[in-house]
Amino acid sequence: MGEVTIKKRVVGIDISLEATTYAIVDVKGDVITMDSFPTMDYPEINQFISALSDHLISMVEENGGYESIRSVGISAPSANFMTGSIVNAPNLPWKGVIPLGALLRDRIGYAVAVANDADVRALGEHAYGLAKGMRDFVVVTMGTGLGSSIFSNGMIHKGTDGFAGEIGHTCIVNNGRQCTCGNKGCLEAYLAARGIVATAKEMLEQSEVPSLMRGVENLTPKLIAEFCEQGDELAIEVYRKTGELLGMGLANYASVIDPEAFIFTGGISRAGKWLFEPAKEVFDRCVFRNTSGKIKFLVSEDDRAANDVLGASVLAWEVREYSLFK
Amino acid sequence: MGEVTIKKRVVGIDISLEATTYAIVDVKGDVITMDSFPTMDYPEINQFISALSDHLISMVEENGGYESIRSVGISAPSANFMTGSIVNAPNLPWKGVIPLGALLRDRIGYAVAVANDADVRALGEHAYGLAKGMRDFVVVTMGTGLGSSIFSNGMIHKGTDGFAGEIGHTCIVNNGRQCTCGNKGCLEAYLAARGIVATAKEMLEQSEVPSLMRGVENLTPKLIAEFCEQGDELAIEVYRKTGELLGMGLANYASVIDPEAFIFTGGISRAGKWLFEPAKEVFDRCVFRNTSGKIKFLVSEDDRAANDVLGASVLAWEVREYSLFK
């Protein structure tokens, strides 16, 4: 019988609109090496898989070799853990159902697990971050889109089809703003990057108050938050209204889930108190009274790519071997 | 060493506004004997506990004796599984925090587990009813109040403080109707018995359409449903509006939870198609599109008391012994 080698490293991959980040991570959660490339350079999924596997193979060969890696975990928007597919991702260039896990596995030969960005973030926060020791919590990811992931009884609650946590597509304003999903008034239409900019533009049109936002061509949530810091009244009002909608949405969420904490991640959460103070105020007023005042709002330290490859590495350790005879 | 007797029977108790029903149930889920008394006869909790334990002791002595019973499970509104207490039940005569499990255990000497009516119904549906074999589902109880219980990964999702599932106190109408919980616009203010009658009265005032509901002094949801069967337009409209609000509320719930089914129980669910057809229509339009059309609406066969003592018996089997030396 040959020697049994226990493989102590995995690959974690984070696919986001801006970049695809990939890393080798060891069993303690230390990142051995990490790199990235622009996701949008590959509008065809086959080109993307080719590029990704070329990058991975190079990285692995320079860092311990093919046999040192146990498995691969991938974080991707709108990914379904059960099927390993990306399903109708509204913001990615690849449309419809993309069997991401199977495609990559067939190219590189490792077992691959895939989960959506919010679930992966929750795995990472639970293993290494703010949710250490918590059994029931929710991670809310606010960036280009708005997603969430639920831990129930110490495990991810995936739902019957793997689509749980779609807080972005709960209706918050009856017959409200058009959402990319086809419905109207979804929370994502107000809380994600595009929505915040749309709210700012509406307010600029409807008001005569002077504002640093006026005349700025490429308004971003980050810029609006900077204007808040400079005391810009209208910018503060943009985040106040956005925060109130977030508080209302989360209150209904919490009344059904009763989590120990909401953990916020993603670019939008960088707005800090401008967003979360009005959100918490409305939240504590609207949530079921027996839980009012008890549920924590925590903001994740954000180095998004580093956090998410780490979360993806937790997912990789969870992967089941595809063959019993390996 | 004495002979070890394996106790094959438990007591299941269902406390509701109308009646307290109690039964001896065996390990197969067969009800050996069942009886009830009016809950509201005992406005003081101590009187209630005295009466309940007297009834129980008599029943147990006539049916196998004290030693034949392993433990007791109780279904009660606003009960917290973790503490065994009723907490701020808006509709019961006993206010504040009532340590129901401890009070009854101290009187009768059996281990007692307590859970809210919705969780108990879910346990019963999972063990003996419509949810056999399901891992992720939601039971919605619609009667005097509106509650729900979530099964996640084959277990009850209790939440961090045991208050999960409070769909009745999610906000569905911004700044809407006053709810007994203190907030405005809660789903319960429209969906529970009082809310449906309030909607009927509003419609009768605002409309000149002839209706069988006009002049009826004690309008009830049941009566309104009977008028629907007789083709009464305004009664149908009452349930249509109620159903649409239910559909909206459940859509947001489902977008976060992604259950295999919603199972409806309680008196209000007897309205059948008048309520559920408009609810399902709005639900499938509003729910996150990847799950649209997949989530089942099932209505529980309703003999409420019999179902709930059975559910409470499942809870009793789950109880942990209070002493390691028994």
Side-chain angles (χ1 to χ4, degrees):
Chain A
M1 279 195 6
E3 203 176 325
V4 176
T5 314
I6 296 176
K7 296 178 177 179
K8 290 184 181 155
R9 290 178 173 182
V10 293
V11 167
I13 304 171
D14 172 49
I15 301 176
S16 73
L17 288 196
E18 301 75 29
T20 293
T21 309
Y22 52 103
I24 296 175
V25 183
D26 74 9
V27 75
K28 291 175 293 185
D30 288 333
V31 174
I32 308 298
T33 177
M34 184 163 86
D35 207 342
S36 67
F37 62 86
T39 307
M40 289 305 191
D41 283 2
Y42 305 96
E44 295 294 327
I45 185 65
N46 289 329
Q47 299 167 351
F48 175 81
I49 294 289
S50 288
L52 176 60
S53 37
D54 289 350
H55 285 299
L56 283 181
I57 295 294
S58 302
M59 178 181 268
V60 164
E61 283 178 353
E62 287 162 23
N63 292 276
Y66 188 85
E67 288 298 323
S68 67
I69 301 295
R70 178 183 176 276
S71 46
V72 176
I74 311 181
S75 163
S78 307
N80 185 313
F81 174 77
M82 292 177 181
T83 61
S85 297
I86 298 178
V87 183
N88 300 326
N91 301 312
L92 285 176
W94 320 309
K95 297 306 170 197
V97 177
I98 306 291
L100 181 68
L103 289 172
L104 188 64
R105 180 197 62 203
D106 289 352
R107 274 299 275 269
I108 59 170
Y110 295 126
V112 178
V114 182
N116 73 50
D117 41 1
D119 284 350
V120 168
R121 179 56 68 98
L123 289 172
E125 293 290 351
H126 190 244
Y128 304 115
L130 292 171
K132 259 189 195 170
M134 290 188 193
R135 286 175 59 79
D136 296 279
F137 65 94
V138 173
V139 169
V140 178
T141 309
M142 304 188 286
T144 316
L146 178 70
S148 77
S149 177
I150 304 163
F151 253 67
S152 163
N153 297 311
M155 288 176 293
I156 286 193
H157 170 81
K158 299 181 296 289
T160 198
D161 285 314
F163 291 116
E166 287 289 354
I167 187 181
H169 302 291
T170 57
C171 180
I172 191 77
V173 179
N174 201 1
N175 213 16
R177 202 179 273 171
Q178 183 66 47
C179 180
T180 52
C181 78
N183 278 346
K184 285 185 174 179
C186 292
L187 197 54
E188 180 169 300
Y190 299 87
L191 252 294
R194 250 191 300 241
I196 294 173
V197 173
T199 301
K201 288 186 177 161
E202 278 174 21
M203 283 192 179
L204 287 168
E205 268 176 34
Q206 287 159 17
S207 149
E208 312 248 304
V209 175
S211 167
L212 296 166
M213 298 189 292
R214 290 196 190 278
V216 177
E217 207 162 302
N218 287 310
L219 211 51
T220 62
K222 193 177 168 201
L223 209 51
I224 301 170
E226 284 167 15
F227 294 155
C228 291
E229 294 293 339
Q230 293 169 47
D232 188 276
E233 269 181 51
L234 214 56
I236 291 171
E237 186 64 14
V238 168
Y239 270 108
R240 196 189 56 72
K241 192 187 164 192
T242 305
E244 286 176 358
L245 289 170
L246 178 63
M248 278 170 58
L250 292 182
N252 282 355
Y253 200 140
S255 294
V256 276
I257 298 291
D258 186 21
E260 182 172 343
F262 283 102
I263 296 172
F264 299 97
T265 78
I268 305 299
S269 66
R270 300 299 101 204
K273 68 172 179 182
W274 306 109
L275 179 66
F276 294 117
E277 281 180 7
K280 192 68 163 72
E281 197 190 307
V282 169
F283 177 84
D284 277 325
R285 195 169 69 231
C286 294
V287 74
F288 179 54
R289 60 176 174 175
N290 287 3
T291 55
S292 178
K294 292 189 196 163
I295 297 170
K296 286 170 261 183
F297 277 29
L298 306 173
V299 181
S300 177
E301 292 298 316
D302 212 53
D303 179 351
R304 183 181 185 284
N307 278 346
D308 281 356
V309 293
L310 215 53
S313 79
V314 176
L315 183 66
W317 290 111
E318 291 288 315
V319 89
R320 286 184 186 80
E321 296 288 339
Y322 282 81
S323 158
L324 287 169
F325 299 99
K326 261 184 188 166
Chain B
M1 280 195 3
E3 203 175 324
V4 176
T5 314
I6 296 175
K7 296 180 176 178
K8 291 183 181 156
R9 289 178 173 182
V10 292
V11 167
I13 303 172
D14 172 49
I15 300 175
S16 73
L17 287 196
E18 301 75 29
T20 293
T21 308
Y22 52 103
I24 296 175
V25 184
D26 74 9
V27 74
K28 291 175 293 187
D30 287 333
V31 173
I32 308 299
T33 177
M34 183 163 87
D35 208 343
S36 67
F37 61 86
T39 307
M40 289 304 191
D41 283 3
Y42 305 97
E44 296 293 329
I45 185 64
N46 289 329
Q47 299 166 352
F48 175 80
I49 294 289
S50 288
L52 176 59
S53 36
D54 290 350
H55 284 300
L56 283 183
I57 295 294
S58 302
M59 178 182 267
V60 164
E61 284 178 353
E62 285 162 23
N63 292 276
Y66 188 85
E67 288 299 324
S68 66
I69 301 295
R70 179 183 176 276
S71 46
V72 176
I74 310 182
S75 162
S78 306
N80 185 314
F81 174 77
M82 292 177 180
T83 61
S85 297
I86 298 178
V87 183
N88 301 326
N91 301 311
L92 285 176
W94 321 309
K95 296 306 169 198
V97 177
I98 307 292
L100 182 69
L103 289 172
L104 188 65
R105 180 196 61 202
D106 289 351
R107 274 299 276 270
I108 58 170
Y110 296 126
V112 178
V114 182
N116 73 49
D117 42 0
D119 284 351
V120 168
R121 179 55 70 96
L123 289 172
E125 293 291 351
H126 190 244
Y128 304 116
L130 292 171
K132 260 189 195 169
M134 290 188 192
R135 287 175 57 81
D136 297 279
F137 65 94
V138 174
V139 169
V140 178
T141 309
M142 304 188 286
T144 316
L146 179 70
S148 78
S149 177
I150 304 162
F151 252 66
S152 163
N153 296 313
M155 287 176 293
I156 286 194
H157 170 81
K158 299 181 295 291
T160 197
D161 285 314
F163 291 117
E166 287 288 355
I167 186 180
H169 302 291
T170 57
C171 179
I172 191 77
V173 179
N174 201 0
N175 213 15
R177 202 179 275 170
Q178 183 65 48
C179 181
T180 51
C181 78
N183 278 346
K184 285 184 173 178
C186 292
L187 197 55
E188 181 169 299
Y190 300 87
L191 251 295
R194 252 191 298 242
I196 294 173
V197 173
T199 301
K201 287 184 177 163
E202 278 173 22
M203 283 192 180
L204 286 168
E205 268 175 32
Q206 286 159 17
S207 149
E208 313 247 304
V209 175
S211 168
L212 296 165
M213 298 189 291
R214 290 195 191 279
V216 176
E217 207 163 303
N218 288 309
L219 211 51
T220 62
K222 192 178 169 200
L223 210 50
I224 301 171
E226 283 168 16
F227 294 155
C228 291
E229 294 293 338
Q230 292 168 47
D232 187 276
E233 268 181 52
L234 215 55
I236 291 171
E237 187 64 14
V238 168
Y239 270 109
R240 196 189 56 73
K241 193 188 163 192
T242 305
E244 286 176 358
L245 289 170
L246 178 64
M248 277 170 59
L250 292 182
N252 281 355
Y253 200 139
S255 294
V256 190
I257 298 290
D258 186 20
E260 182 171 344
F262 284 102
I263 297 173
F264 300 96
T265 78
I268 305 299
S269 67
R270 301 297 101 203
K273 70 172 178 183
W274 307 109
L275 179 65
F276 294 116
E277 282 181 5
K280 193 67 163 70
E281 197 190 308
V282 170
F283 177 84
D284 277 326
R285 195 171 66 232
C286 295
V287 74
F288 179 55
R289 61 177 175 172
N290 286 3
T291 55
S292 178
K294 291 189 196 163
I295 296 170
K296 287 169 259 184
F297 276 27
L298 306 173
V299 181
S300 177
E301 291 299 315
D302 211 53
D303 179 351
R304 182 180 184 286
N307 278 345
D308 282 355
V309 293
L310 216 53
S313 79
V314 176
L315 183 65
W317 290 111
E318 291 287 314
V319 88
R320 286 184 184 79
E321 296 290 339
Y322 282 80
S323 157
L324 287 170
F325 299 98
K326 262 184 187 164

